[in-house]
Amino acid sequence: MSTIQYLLDGFAIAFQWHNILFALLGVIIGTAVGVLPGIGPMSGVALLIPVTATLTSGLPIEMAATSSIILLAGVYYGAMYGGSTTSILLNTPGESSSVVTTLDGYQMARQGRAGAALSIAAIGSFIAGIIALIGLVLLARPLSKVAINFGPAEYFSLMLLGLAAVSGLAGKSITKALIMTVLGLLLGTIGIDAVSGIARFTYDQPVLFSGIEFLTVAVGLFALGEVFKTIFEKDGADEPIAKIDRILPTKKDLKDSAAPIARGSFLGFFLGVLPGAGATLASFFAYITEKKISKNPESFGKGNIAGVASPESANNAASGGAMIPLLTLGIPGSGTTAILMGAFIMYNIQPGPLLFEEHPDVAWGLIASMFLGNLMLLILNMPLVRVFAKIIQTPKRFLLPIIIAISIFGVYAVQYTTFDLFLLLGCGIAGYFFAKNDFPVAPLVLALVLGPMIENNMRRALTISNGEFSIFIAKPLSLIFLVIAVLWILIPILMKLRGKNVIINEEG
């Protein structure tokens, strides 16, 4: 049977009434999970596994597995859509991969362009979801062969490139960006060392053994930082908000965001295929790429629509790409796909090379339902854009307590510790002072995510090479990533120095 025939059979399964219902339920819950800061798709999918098992208990095992996985996958990519909503309207990332969307999305909302930002995020997410699914259908096997060649050395260099690229989010000063990157890396070392099992910087506090939770820091720095800015600077008066006349984007908005959506979709898809890279890294890379190739990079961070279109497309495409290593190799590419893998195994279905031969109904039914789910999300999200855009017009005396409540609920729902609530508060105050003194927060957040992954891959690579650092330049792919990383940092510095020399020569 050809791929097209398998896909048509998949659509026959996805269009069964109960599977349509499960897909719809999944994407609605996923959007809600994305909107609530701190919960995220990982927690959402994990919480719903027992619920889906109960809902499908009367069905035959294979049918039950297909319906459950359809619902759980709906939560996964639905959360990617939902995460942009609060990022744009309240400067509160609903999901870790939406952190970058706050940079331009929130500025657009403050300029009265919330409707355009939300609808471009929805359109970009839909297009990226479809591109990723077409890629999943066509390229699953060949791409998996490429991804499996990535060893620890290649991952280390790729993530180092990610940190070097953070200089693209530097704002005015590369030095300040590097200081924040190092601070993020230092915070990432707190907890039990995964290799030796030794506690580091925990000061005998059991609550620190599991490390600093990324979402607590992200929500604190971004959401509560904004709250403290309003409180400390006596900014309680409601700013006159430009009237949201237009919900659909203008022709200019669509023209400006077409290329970023395409670039973000492809970049996100290929990064999603690499296990461990994930949607957060994809959205950061997409944003940095747009800023680098833009004719006016200084407009980023001030409400440039490309800064919303590209990262939002990338994180949705990455969630589709992450399904390739899961379905074809049995390797989960992210935390959420690891939980999805647990759901497969719960139904006695082993993801991997034999999945498409032994359980084609489950594999192709899931892929077809993702086409359906993305269409449902577009239909659901476009009419609701006006409802979401109204949130920005809520007076600050009502809005601030809502942001605080959502932040505290989101963090406590994940961590269940009062320590994380104090950490949230501390990060909020720190976020205010960082913003006041022009220290960019995004590099700290990315370094906190990448730090432990960089360390683990470096140590694994050194174990393989018996402590020889030459492994990182001996592997061709690793060397390419390292050269790009060095150039990424050096070129802006050299251009700056060259610019200063030109000015000195002209003055001379």
Side-chain angles (χ1 to χ4, degrees):
M1 277 171 77
S2 67
T3 302
I4 299 294
Q5 187 57 52
Y6 274 123
L7 188 60
L8 290 172
D9 290 349
F11 274 110
I13 292 159
F15 278 111
Q16 290 171 357
W17 70 268
H18 59 275
N19 286 338
I20 291 174
L21 204 61
F22 272 88
L24 181 63
L25 191 60
V27 296
I28 290 170
I29 294 170
T31 307
V33 160
V35 166
L36 288 169
I39 294 182
M42 211 187 306
S43 308
V45 171
L47 289 168
L48 283 169
I49 286 177
V51 178
T52 56
T54 311
L55 289 172
T56 58
S57 56
L59 297 170
I61 190 77
E62 189 128 330
M63 203 184 279
T66 308
S67 300
S68 293
I69 303 292
I70 283 172
L71 190 148
L72 296 172
V75 174
Y76 179 27
Y77 53 86
M80 298 295 169
Y81 270 73
S84 62
T85 305
T86 46
S87 291
I88 291 165
L89 297 183
L90 305 177
N91 202 32
T92 308
E95 215 281 304
S96 59
S97 57
S98 299
V99 167
V100 194
T101 313
T102 59
L103 302 176
D104 282 279
Y106 183 60
Q107 293 307 318
M108 283 181 71
R110 291 182 70 182
Q111 295 160 17
R113 294 165 66 208
L118 285 165
S119 52
I120 281 293
I123 293 164
S125 296
F126 172 73
I127 292 168
I130 297 302
I131 287 173
L133 284 165
I134 292 168
L136 177 56
V137 171
L138 299 177
L139 306 172
R141 294 185 189 283
L143 275 176
S144 299
K145 285 172 187 169
V146 174
I148 206 167
N149 290 331
F150 268 58
E154 285 86 357
Y155 276 121
F156 167 79
S157 303
L158 175 69
M159 284 160 194
L160 213 58
L161 169 59
L163 279 187
V166 158
S167 60
L169 298 169
K172 294 170 189 166
S173 164
I174 291 177
T175 313
K176 284 181 177 177
L178 292 174
I179 289 168
M180 295 299 275
T181 304
V182 171
L183 181 58
L185 288 171
L186 289 172
L187 288 173
T189 61
I190 295 170
I192 299 275
D193 175 15
V195 178
S196 64
I198 294 166
R200 299 185 298 190
F201 308 114
T202 58
Y203 306 102
D204 294 327
Q205 297 295 318
V207 77
L208 288 173
F209 287 170
S210 59
I212 300 282
E213 174 61 35
F214 158 74
L215 270 166
T216 308
V217 176
V219 172
L221 290 173
F222 285 95
L224 288 194
E226 189 67 29
V227 170
F228 283 121
K229 183 184 174 210
T230 307
I231 295 167
F232 290 151
E233 297 184 0
K234 300 283 187 287
D235 190 18
D238 295 318
E239 292 174 28
I241 294 166
K243 196 170 179 235
I244 303 164
D245 295 321
R246 192 182 179 95
I247 292 300
L248 291 173
T250 60
K251 280 184 182 174
K252 185 181 182 299
D253 286 336
L254 287 169
K255 190 184 169 190
D256 290 347
S257 53
I261 286 172
R263 282 191 289 267
S265 300
F266 286 106
L267 183 69
F269 175 67
F270 288 110
L271 276 173
V273 171
L274 305 175
T280 307
L281 192 61
S283 60
F284 271 96
F285 262 114
Y287 186 85
I288 292 159
T289 306
E290 287 307 316
K291 195 173 176 182
K292 281 277 176 198
I293 62 175
S294 173
K295 288 174 185 170
N296 52 342
E298 65 284 348
S299 67
F300 281 79
K302 295 175 185 171
N304 189 324
I305 200 156
V308 174
S310 189
E312 275 304 307
S313 304
N315 70 34
N316 274 272
S319 66
M323 293 304 234
I324 288 183
L326 173 70
L327 297 178
T328 59
L329 296 172
I331 299 171
S334 64
T336 316
T337 47
I339 295 164
L340 279 174
M341 185 173 175
F344 271 108
I345 292 165
M346 192 175 84
Y347 289 101
N348 211 18
I349 294 170
Q350 178 63 52
L354 297 175
L355 176 69
F356 286 85
E357 287 159 34
E358 291 178 355
H359 306 281
D361 286 3
V362 178
W364 291 104
L366 169 63
I367 292 168
S369 80
M370 288 169 77
F371 278 101
L372 192 62
N374 270 290
L375 186 62
M376 285 176 179
L377 279 165
L378 186 69
I379 294 165
L380 280 171
N381 279 324
M382 289 302 281
L384 293 176
V385 160
R386 192 175 288 277
V387 178
F388 292 140
K390 290 287 177 194
I391 295 171
I392 201 81
Q393 295 175 325
T394 311
K396 279 189 180 167
R397 63 181 181 277
F398 301 130
L399 197 60
L400 293 186
I402 291 169
I403 294 175
I404 294 167
I406 288 174
S407 302
I408 290 171
F409 168 75
V411 166
Y412 195 73
V414 175
Q415 291 301 97
Y416 297 116
T417 64
T418 47
F419 165 78
D420 273 86
L421 298 182
F422 286 117
L423 178 64
L424 178 73
L425 203 62
C427 287
I429 295 167
Y432 162 69
F433 284 110
F434 285 144
K436 194 179 180 187
N437 294 292
D438 277 331
F439 280 87
V441 218
L444 184 152
V445 172
L446 185 65
L448 182 61
V449 175
L450 289 184
M453 292 153 74
I454 287 172
E455 186 191 4
N456 287 340
N457 281 301
M458 184 180 88
R459 288 167 77 170
R460 281 170 58 207
L462 290 174
T463 305
I464 291 165
S465 67
N466 290 325
E468 288 289 329
F469 279 89
S470 59
I471 187 170
F472 298 111
I473 51 172
K475 303 262 184 184
L477 269 175
S478 174
L479 180 62
I480 290 165
F481 290 142
L482 286 174
V483 169
I484 296 169
V486 171
L487 290 174
W488 207 300
I489 290 177
L490 283 181
I491 287 171
I493 295 171
L494 292 172
M495 284 174 78
K496 227 175 197 178
L497 290 171
R498 190 179 161 202
K500 280 181 183 173
N501 290 337
V502 167
I503 291 165
I504 290 164
N505 291 337
E506 282 175 359
E507 286 174 353

